Amino acid sequence: MSNLYSRLAAEFPANRGRVFAWLADSRSLSYGGVEAESARYANALRELGVGIGDRVAVQVEKSAEMLLLYLGCLRLGAVFLPLNTAYTAGELEYFVGDAEPALLVCDPAAASVISALPAAGSMKVETLDAAGDGTLAELARRASPVFATVARDDNDLAAILYTSGTTGRSKGAMLSHGNLASNAFALRDIWRFAADDVLLHALPIFHTHGLFVATNVMLACGGSMILLPRFEVGEVMATLPRATVMMGVPTFYIRLLGEAGFGRELVSHMRLFISGSAPLAPDVHREFEARTGHAILERYGMTETNMNISNPYDGERIPGTVGLPLPGVEIRIADSATGRVLPQGEVGVIEIRGPNVFKGYWRLPEKTAAEFRDGFFISGDMGRIDQNGYISIVGREKDLIIAGGLNIYPAEVEDVIGALPAVREVAVIGLPHPDLGEAVVAVIVPRDAAFADAAAISDALRDKLARFKQPRMVLFTDELPKNTMGKVQKAELRKHHACLFASRG
Ligand code: MLC
Ligand code: AMP
């Protein structure tokens, strides 16, 4: 079909003065502004030599300008590559080497370190800060507000988002214009988004949730969003009266429930609360409904597939389930060992096929092929379909921890901790955590039995791993539980330490 931007722009309100984003200090960005400013960014990128298919890596604080840069990339046919602001220089070195971006846009404070990365090569580096200023913003300001959006096909790449892997390093998930467009319009329709909606946006915009689910859906309905820099519970409570919809990870809802002043009065005007990226505990769902009268709508997605399954807008939203497949999305449950499709009611790995499913991992055709069966993407999540078609996620086949909606692969953390001289062996596990859902914990067998310095371990990780991947707790032991094959029994460890962090309430 056509460029995602053109398809979204076809839905912009006729009155281009209408607000797309409310920003800090009562400033706002209109739909006319979105058109003109994204054109300026597209022109600025072109002036920097960025062409169709070139990657534009972006590690900047959340701002309206970052979204305009995203739209500028789409319009130019470049590939937007957002990076978590928590990544350290060591982590960036890998992304830069793997993706070979033509341009990297970063905070001014990081520019010299990034320019000096060995992998930087001929990559250009420009800056954008939290206030939307920087060398790239300056270039955009001087550029023309008119740009003829480049034609793109459904299969052409729009973005690459890196996801961590169970083995080896992160893989770049390649998302096409067609992937993102199909999902934006499907979600707009099933969740009944319309031009009078105001979304409270407190998510980061370097992930699928805050970038594609939130932003693309709002552009697709011509509505507005209130762009908060991050989730801060007081600010969110103060902003809720101006919003009609909120999207969040479960931690957002847990933190709201922790506030005495949060209740029916504050949110009676709201149309919808949506949760995803991590399991929403049924007790949180029920407590939220009892306190507010709102049944949170839980949905299920992945970076590789966008959104797949959602509880219904009109029908029953069942706690502990993620609902029904999205229109156009096929879901099946398979035996993870044999690939045999299982009958309804049985537990197996969730497999997904549809226009939302990505084009593969960047420069990893074998890895990509291994993750598909008959055109279905093998999610690595275990699930079951009930007699009414509702799907529950019952666990994960992949060794993955999700803390506050952010994924951490234990293997990556184990590699870094295992390389420390004081460590003989390490197992990294996720334990139930009242605020984050799960928290990262390292269980270490030290080389010297007398060594038990958790602070020294934490210090040693500081510049090697993004903060959210670092263990919340470091434990020491003489021996790790292993099976007869010598494989660490993580389930055993998790059970043993299940109550390390106090539970909610
Ligand atoms: C921050 N920290 C985290 C963390 N976020 N640690 C573990 N897990 C996290 N998620 C670090 C901080 O750097 C800080 O370190 C310390 O933990 C305490 O921070 P905090 O103040 O409690 O955290 P906060 O900044 O409030 O952030 C928590 C959060 C945030 C839950 C609000 O992480 C968040 O917005 N998460 C959303 C993630 C998301 O968008 N996921 C979608 C992925 S897409 P220190 O050293 O300063 O103390 C996807 C597909 C799909 O999954 O289906 O949607
Ligand atoms: P990411 O790779 O960051 O996109 O994370 C995707 C993973 O988040 C999925 O594979 C699931 O394990 C998890 N996830 C997303 N939504 C839900 C949900 N509603 N319930 C349980 N797990 C979820």
Side-chain angles (χ1 to χ4, degrees):
M1 287 265 294
S2 57
N3 191 305
L4 169 64
Y5 176 84
S6 310
R7 294 172 69 173
L8 295 171
E11 309 291 327
F12 289 178
N15 174 1
R16 294 292 209 257
R18 297 213 36 187
V19 170
F20 165 60
W22 293 103
L23 313 169
D25 308 323
S26 309
R27 286 181 310 124
S28 65
L29 173 69
S30 68
Y31 273 92
V34 169
E35 274 179 326
E37 300 303 315
S38 63
R40 288 185 200 275
Y41 274 94
N43 281 316
L45 292 173
R46 187 174 271 170
E47 206 177 306
L48 287 165
V50 176
I52 292 176
D54 284 345
R55 276 77 59 210
V56 176
V58 179
Q59 190 193 36
V60 303
E61 293 299 332
K62 184 175 179 178
S63 67
E65 286 72 15
M66 177 174 167
L67 292 179
L68 294 166
L69 170 58
Y70 157 60
L71 296 175
C73 282
L74 291 178
R75 297 186 70 172
L76 180 66
V79 179
F80 189 69
L81 196 161
L83 294 165
N84 192 324
T85 45
Y87 288 145
T88 62
E91 288 168 309
L92 282 183
E93 166 72 10
Y94 168 76
F95 295 119
V96 167
D98 191 57
E100 297 185 304
L103 169 69
L104 186 144
V105 185
C106 64
D107 194 84
S112 56
V113 172
I114 288 175
S115 302
L117 290 175
S122 60
M123 177 182 80
K124 291 197 168 138
V125 176
E126 298 289 339
T127 64
L128 196 58
D129 66 16
D133 292 321
T135 58
L136 185 66
E138 194 48 47
L139 211 60
R141 228 166 268 143
R142 291 200 304 266
S144 162
V146 178
F147 185 88
T149 299
V150 169
R152 298 272 76 197
D153 284 337
D154 270 0
N155 287 328
D156 288 329
L157 287 197
I160 295 179
L161 269 65
Y162 274 85
T163 71
S164 302
T166 36
T167 52
R169 302 302 297 262
S170 295
K171 299 163 288 184
M174 300 190 290
L175 293 150
S176 69
H177 284 255
N179 291 152
L180 300 179
S182 71
N183 218 234
F185 291 107
L187 296 177
R188 177 195 67 180
D189 295 345
I190 61 160
W191 293 338
R192 308 278 169 80
F193 272 89
D196 56 357
D197 268 319
V198 180
L199 175 81
L200 193 162
H201 192 310
L203 289 156
I205 49 177
F206 43 72
H207 281 308
T208 295
H209 198 163
L211 183 61
F212 301 139
V213 184
T215 308
N216 287 350
V217 167
M218 292 322 292
L219 288 166
C221 75
S224 313
M225 57 191 194
I226 305 170
L227 211 58
L228 299 181
R230 55 187 287 272
F231 184 90
E232 195 283 304
V233 75
E235 201 179 353
V236 167
M237 299 247 295
T239 307
L240 274 168
R242 293 164 51 208
T244 66
V245 187
M246 188 174 104
M247 292 181 189
V249 297
T251 300
F252 287 16
Y253 297 107
I254 291 168
R255 289 188 182 179
L256 283 169
L257 287 172
E259 295 296 306
F262 179 73
R264 217 169 270 265
E265 318 72 55
L266 195 67
V267 296
S268 56
H269 68 287
M270 291 286 285
R271 184 174 76 76
L272 185 61
F273 289 93
I274 303 174
S275 177
S277 307
L280 181 72
D283 71 314
V284 174
H285 188 291
R286 292 197 186 97
E287 189 180 334
F288 197 90
E289 187 162 11
R291 279 267 284 278
T292 66
H294 284 281
I296 298 172
L297 187 156
E298 184 175 8
R299 57 59 178 179
Y300 161 75
M302 293 182 76
T303 301
E304 286 92 336
T305 62
N306 298 285
M307 300 303 102
N308 306 305
I309 303 175
S310 171
N311 270 280
Y313 187 79
D314 286 323
E316 199 184 353
R317 299 175 196 163
I318 304 178
T321 81
V322 289
L324 308 158
L326 258 53
V329 176
E330 290 173 84
I331 299 290
R332 68 183 194 185
I333 307 289
D335 182 298
S336 43
T338 64
R340 186 172 66 88
V341 177
L342 296 172
Q344 181 263 309
E346 289 194 24
V347 172
V349 66
I350 299 177
E351 300 189 345
I352 305 149
R353 185 163 72 178
N356 53 321
V357 175
F358 76 141
K359 298 293 150 197
Y361 295 111
W362 172 252
R363 292 182 178 161
L364 292 172
E366 289 90 19
K367 185 88 201 138
T368 302
E371 308 264 343
F372 279 85
R373 239 188 313 249
D374 322 322
F376 280 78
F377 177 66
I378 306 167
S379 69
D381 292 308
M382 303 298 286
R384 182 199 302 116
I385 308 182
D386 76 10
Q387 67 278 15
N388 298 318
Y390 278 69
I391 296 155
S392 304
I393 315 282
V394 300
R396 296 179 207 126
E397 187 188 45
K398 50 197 174 191
D399 189 13
L400 162 70
I401 299 167
I402 306 185
L406 293 176
N407 292 9
I408 299 113
Y409 276 90
E412 185 187 353
V413 183
E414 285 163 358
D415 282 352
V416 177
I417 298 180
L420 300 175
V423 176
R424 180 186 305 282
E425 249 189 312
V426 59
V428 169
I429 52 173
L431 292 180
H433 188 276
D435 178 45
L436 298 169
E438 285 181 292
V440 180
V441 171
V443 186
I444 291 176
V445 180
R447 282 195 191 282
D448 171 356
F451 180 89
D453 190 347
I457 300 286
S458 300
D459 281 350
L461 300 180
R462 196 145 293 144
D463 61 347
K464 296 192 175 69
L465 282 173
R467 176 74 186 96
F468 70 92
K469 298 179 192 169
Q470 296 171 23
R472 289 273 155 149
M473 191 88 86
V474 176
L475 307 174
F476 295 91
T477 182
D478 296 341
E479 210 181 341
L480 293 170
K482 292 190 180 154
N483 65 14
T484 48
M485 309 287 288
K487 190 171 183 284
V488 176
Q489 292 179 297
K490 289 199 172 178
E492 197 65 32
L493 271 181
R494 277 193 293 266
K495 206 159 92 194
H496 187 72
H497 296 292
C499 299
L500 195 61
F501 302 101
S503 63
R504 263 172 36 83

